[in-house]
Amino acid sequence: GAGRHGERRGHEQHVELGQAQASMEKYMRYSQELRDRAPDNPGYRMELAYAHSNLGSVARARGDAELALREFRVAAQISESELKSQPGDAARISDLADIWSWINSTLLDLGRLQESEQAAVKAADLMRILHDQGKDARASAKYADYLLLLADIQLQLGQVAAATDQFESARDIPTSLLARAPSNAF
């Protein structure tokens, strides 16, 4: 019956996550080999950050938030170091913002609201750099998304005034994007 179908789906999901874990571990080994062969190559160092981030995503999906958090923090450390060497690089800024967003979500999973808020602030602050340049509508839209994530956490913390400010800032972004490009469906 329905119960057996649910069990089968749960088993399939477990197998899929196991396969994803194996793939990400292989990707990690390749990334480490590349970095070891050419430690001065920034692209290889970023591959290592992506590998840690991917392992964090799989760990989170498997319900191991503590392991996920460790992987995301290593990814953030590498990514922050790379951003320092190329401070204005838009792709690096966006990548690091994404990692802080994952850290934020994982801290929420663990019920660590204060730390989650700090991570959400970091993600939003990074995307604000790109939003303020006014060149990339997708970066501005992502900035709005991160402001909404931050507002949600602030509401949970009882910071209603701060949350309201974030909501209003986020709401204004799509309006200004639409005014600049009224035919853009995105």
Side-chain angles (χ1 to χ4, degrees):
R4 201 171 297 143
H5 175 74
E7 286 170 23
R8 191 170 66 236
R9 181 67 201 125
H11 173 72
E12 287 169 8
Q13 201 169 18
H14 180 73
V15 169
E16 286 167 14
L17 283 172
Q19 289 169 342
Q21 177 82 26
S23 294
M24 294 309 155
E25 285 171 356
K26 187 185 278 189
Y27 175 41
M28 172 62 80
R29 286 193 299 276
Y30 289 146
S31 300
Q32 287 170 328
E33 280 177 32
L34 286 170
R35 191 265 333 261
D36 291 347
R37 279 187 209 166
D40 294 334
N41 185 316
Y44 292 167
R45 290 194 300 264
M46 281 308 295
E47 286 300 325
L48 198 55
Y50 301 143
H52 281 288
S53 188
N54 289 340
L55 281 173
S57 297
V58 173
R60 185 169 178 245
R62 294 181 93 164
D64 191 342
E66 291 289 353
L67 176 59
L69 192 56
R70 286 195 298 275
E71 293 289 359
F72 291 137
R73 287 197 189 282
V74 173
Q77 195 174 19
I78 296 168
S79 191
E80 280 171 351
S81 172
E82 291 307 306
L83 184 57
K84 278 182 189 151
S85 67
Q86 296 182 22
D89 187 281
R92 296 240 194 289
I93 291 169
S94 186
D95 286 345
L96 183 55
D98 288 343
I99 295 167
W100 278 109
S101 177
W102 280 109
I103 290 171
N104 153 49
S105 300
T106 308
L107 286 164
L108 270 180
D109 294 343
L110 291 164
R112 291 158 60 176
L113 287 179
Q114 302 276 356
E115 291 172 84
S116 177
E117 181 191 21
Q118 292 164 8
V121 166
K122 287 186 179 187
D125 284 351
L126 284 159
M127 287 316 296
R128 182 177 186 155
I129 295 167
L130 300 181
H131 167 70
D132 285 348
Q133 292 172 358
K135 297 177 195 165
D136 184 348
R138 287 187 186 276
S140 292
K142 193 195 276 192
Y143 174 53
D145 288 344
Y146 287 167
L147 287 176
L148 292 173
L149 289 174
L150 177 56
D152 185 51
I153 297 161
Q154 289 171 332
L155 277 180
Q156 291 181 58
L157 287 166
Q159 301 169 4
V160 178
T164 302
D165 288 344
Q166 308 300 351
F167 277 124
E168 287 173 358
S169 296
R171 184 195 59 207
D172 293 342
I173 291 170
T175 307
S176 67
L177 290 175
L178 194 58
R180 273 191 283 174
S183 63
N184 187 329
F186 168 74

